[in-house]
Amino acid sequence: DADVFVDRAWIQSVAGADLHRTDCGSLPFAGEPGGDYLFGSGSLSQGNPDVGFNFEVQPGIGLLIVSLNGSLGEVNADLFLRRGSPPTLASFDCSSTSPLALEVCGLPNPQPETWHILAHRSGSGAGPFQVTATLFGAGAGNGDPPPPPGPWLFSAALPGFEAKVLINNSTLGNRETDCISETLCVSGALAGRPEIFVKVIGPRPNGFLWSQLTRFTPSKVEVWLRKISTGQVNYYELAAVGPAEDNVSGLQDREAFSP
């Protein structure tokens, strides 16, 4: 046990600037936009050693975190997580089996489907527990920034994919209907003047679909490209080009998506 008032000087000396932080990292708070969560609870005992839950993961989720906590000293509960069907002690996508009833599983870019949770009583003891599944928006969990608010850009010329484009940190891109074949053309502040071409080609000989970005602006460009069927989002950043530079470079990702 600790008395915060008595130990306040030590806490302040160790915590330093972090003492006044209201967040941890770049993830949104649970319950805020981009940080949806689901909650469940139950009780484990010798006669009821397993309790299951399930929830839906929609496309565009960048990070899934499932946590379990139980009554310390009363029950040792383990956590198992699986996509598509209930997990078992031998078959799961993620598990956490510490000696305490404090478990967590984290999975980047979870596939959209029904996911299943198993809370399992390990050893002796009995008591209540709770589980929380938090679903963070695309871009979370891999250090990439989340896509900006607003609708995704879709074109029949780029079937199965959609994109968001941000130019110069502030201007949202707009789709141009007058475009070349198999390409999503995106304009910035001036309608009718495409500044970004987005393409997905392949499968190529290495087995992947390649993404290609071509730009016609020296400004910084950020692109979030999403495969609709899986929810996978790739983030690309093209740095601003200085006034003394002659090359306005684009980008090619040779391992962008699986077919």
Side-chain angles (χ1 to χ4, degrees):
D1 296 327
D3 188 318
V4 173
F5 181 78
V6 171
D7 296 327
R8 65 190 185 281
W10 176 83
I11 294 172
Q12 291 168 347
S13 68
V14 173
D18 284 337
L19 189 64
H20 303 288
R21 287 177 58 88
T22 59
D23 59 1
C24 181
S26 60
L27 294 176
F29 290 107
E32 289 188 346
D36 295 333
Y37 71 94
L38 306 162
F39 175 81
S41 62
S43 184
L44 297 173
S45 64
Q46 183 176 1
N48 188 43
D50 296 304
V51 178
F53 306 86
N54 63 75
F55 59 96
E56 297 296 322
V57 171
Q58 302 299 326
I61 300 301
L63 177 64
L64 167 63
I65 296 180
V66 178
S67 62
L68 178 151
N69 63 86
S71 284
L72 294 178
E74 295 184 22
V75 61
N76 178 13
D78 292 338
L79 172 67
F80 298 86
L81 181 65
R82 189 180 185 187
R83 175 174 64 92
S85 59
T88 67
L89 303 188
S91 181
F92 48 82
D93 291 310
C94 181
S95 68
S96 181
T97 58
S98 75
L100 302 174
L102 298 172
E103 312 293 352
V104 63
C105 272
L107 293 172
N109 301 313
Q111 296 295 312
E113 199 170 342
T114 301
W115 284 75
H116 299 261
I117 298 170
L118 172 65
H120 170 70
R121 173 182 177 265
S122 177
S124 60
F129 71 92
Q130 60 185 20
V131 293
T132 305
T134 311
L135 301 94
F136 295 99
N142 54 11
D144 294 338
W152 290 81
L153 305 179
F154 173 81
S155 171
L158 202 67
F161 291 87
E162 53 191 3
K164 290 189 179 185
V165 176
L166 190 64
I167 302 172
N168 202 25
N169 297 317
S170 59
T171 302
L172 283 174
N174 297 292
R175 181 176 71 89
E176 293 294 330
T177 56
D178 188 9
C179 186
I180 62 177
S181 63
E182 300 181 345
T183 304
L184 172 64
C185 295
V186 182
S187 61
L190 296 178
R193 191 180 75 180
E195 296 189 75
I196 309 295
F197 286 177
V198 181
K199 298 186 70 173
V200 177
I201 62 174
R204 303 295 289 166
N206 67 344
F208 287 90
L209 299 171
W210 295 9
S211 59
Q212 296 178 330
L213 306 180
T214 305
R215 64 169 169 173
F216 306 93
T217 173
S219 299
K220 174 184 175 182
V221 175
E222 296 172 270
V223 177
W224 292 261
L225 183 59
R226 180 164 75 179
K227 187 177 183 181
I228 298 173
S229 62
T230 64
Q232 177 187 341
V233 176
N234 289 357
Y235 169 75
Y236 304 107
E237 179 181 331
L238 302 175
V241 177
E245 298 182 51
D246 297 325
N247 183 26
V248 180
S249 60
L251 181 147
Q252 179 168 267
D253 182 357
R254 293 180 173 85
E255 297 183 354
F257 299 94
S258 297

